[in-house]
Amino acid sequence: MNKKTKKDSKLKNVLAKELKSQAEEIDTFIKDTLREIRTQDNLSDYEISYKFSSKPKSRWNKTVAAEIRVDNVYKTANIILRPEIVEMYRSDDKNMIKKILCHEVSHIRIEPLAKLSLDRFSGHKEIGEAIETLTEHYGRLLYHKVNDGKK
């Protein structure tokens, strides 16, 4: 192995360690934030998991940083975190991540209403937007509770 190859190999190892360290930091931050949200919203009966996706997503002409799948029968929820969450963490916008996680967890409380309204009425888009508005409102309330009233 020549000097350049050794240097490149060392650089790759350093970069890999930095990325692993940053991934662990983000993971810890997400876990701690979700634990606090579950505690504040009395959701201890729900199992909330998350995973990162490398695929960006948009809905209604807006970027989707995270989304949640809720099963109220089995009391589980799975949050999918998109690349924007990692970028927010890197730019030290942790409060925005907290707001987003509060919004997503708020869907757990809103989901029964959402299913009922979407199953029984027409105007899917309008009802979906009304549910999203209510979820955003609830998420902001929860965020302020989790963040000790700070904006």
Side-chain angles (χ1 to χ4, degrees), residues 99-114:
K99 285 181 182 180
I100 289 168
L101 291 174
C102 285
H103 173 92
E104 294 308 318
V105 171
S106 296
H107 279 286
I108 294 171
R109 299 288 189 204
I110 304 300
E111 191 66 22
L113 169 65

Side-chain angles (χ1 to χ4, degrees), residues 28-50 66 68 77 79 81 85 94-109 135 138-148:
T28 299
F29 176 75
I30 299 292
K31 280 181 186 172
D32 291 348
T33 302
L34 286 173
R35 185 179 305 113
E36 177 68 12
I37 292 168
R38 285 181 68 215
T39 300
Q40 292 293 333
D41 200 27
N42 196 23
L43 283 167
S44 59
D45 56 335
Y46 273 82
E47 182 180 318
I48 302 173
S49 61
Y50 65 92
I68 191 167
I79 300 172
L81 303 169
I85 296 293
K94 294 176 185 169
N95 280 335
M96 181 55 77
I97 297 171
K98 284 183 180 182
K99 285 181 182 180
I100 289 168
L101 291 174
C102 285
H103 173 92
E104 294 308 318
V105 171
S106 296
H107 279 286
I108 294 171
R109 299 288 189 204
T135 302
Y138 185 83
R140 288 179 188 204
L141 293 173
L142 183 57
Y143 166 77
H144 289 295
K145 190 173 182 181
V146 168
N147 207 34
D148 296 324

Side-chain angles (χ1 to χ4, degrees), residues 60 107 110-135:
W60 299 319
H107 279 286
I110 304 300
E111 191 66 22
L113 169 65
K115 284 190 176 178
L116 178 65
S117 66
L118 293 173
D119 286 343
R120 300 195 68 196
F121 301 106
S122 60
H124 180 12
K125 183 179 182 210
E126 292 79 11
I127 293 170
E129 288 172 351
I131 291 165
E132 196 63 24
T133 300
L134 179 58
T135 302

Side-chain angles (χ1 to χ4, degrees), residues 12 21 24 58 82 95 104 108 116 137:
K12 285 180 184 176
S21 174
E24 289 171 358
S58 64
R82 303 282 175 191
N95 280 335
E104 294 308 318
I108 294 171
L116 178 65
H137 176 74

Side-chain angles (χ1 to χ4, degrees), residues 35-84:
R35 185 179 305 113
E36 177 68 12
I37 292 168
R38 285 181 68 215
T39 300
Q40 292 293 333
D41 200 27
N42 196 23
L43 283 167
S44 59
D45 56 335
Y46 273 82
E47 182 180 318
I48 302 173
S49 61
Y50 65 92
K51 66 179 182 179
F52 288 91
S53 172
S54 61
K55 298 176 186 174
K57 187 173 181 178
S58 64
R59 183 183 306 126
W60 299 319
N61 296 321
K62 292 183 180 181
T63 300
V64 175
E67 59 187 319
I68 191 167
R69 304 280 188 259
V70 178
D71 185 329
N72 283 306
V73 173
Y74 294 101
K75 305 272 190 212
T76 61
N78 184 36
I79 300 172
I80 300 166
L81 303 169
R82 303 282 175 191
E84 290 78 14

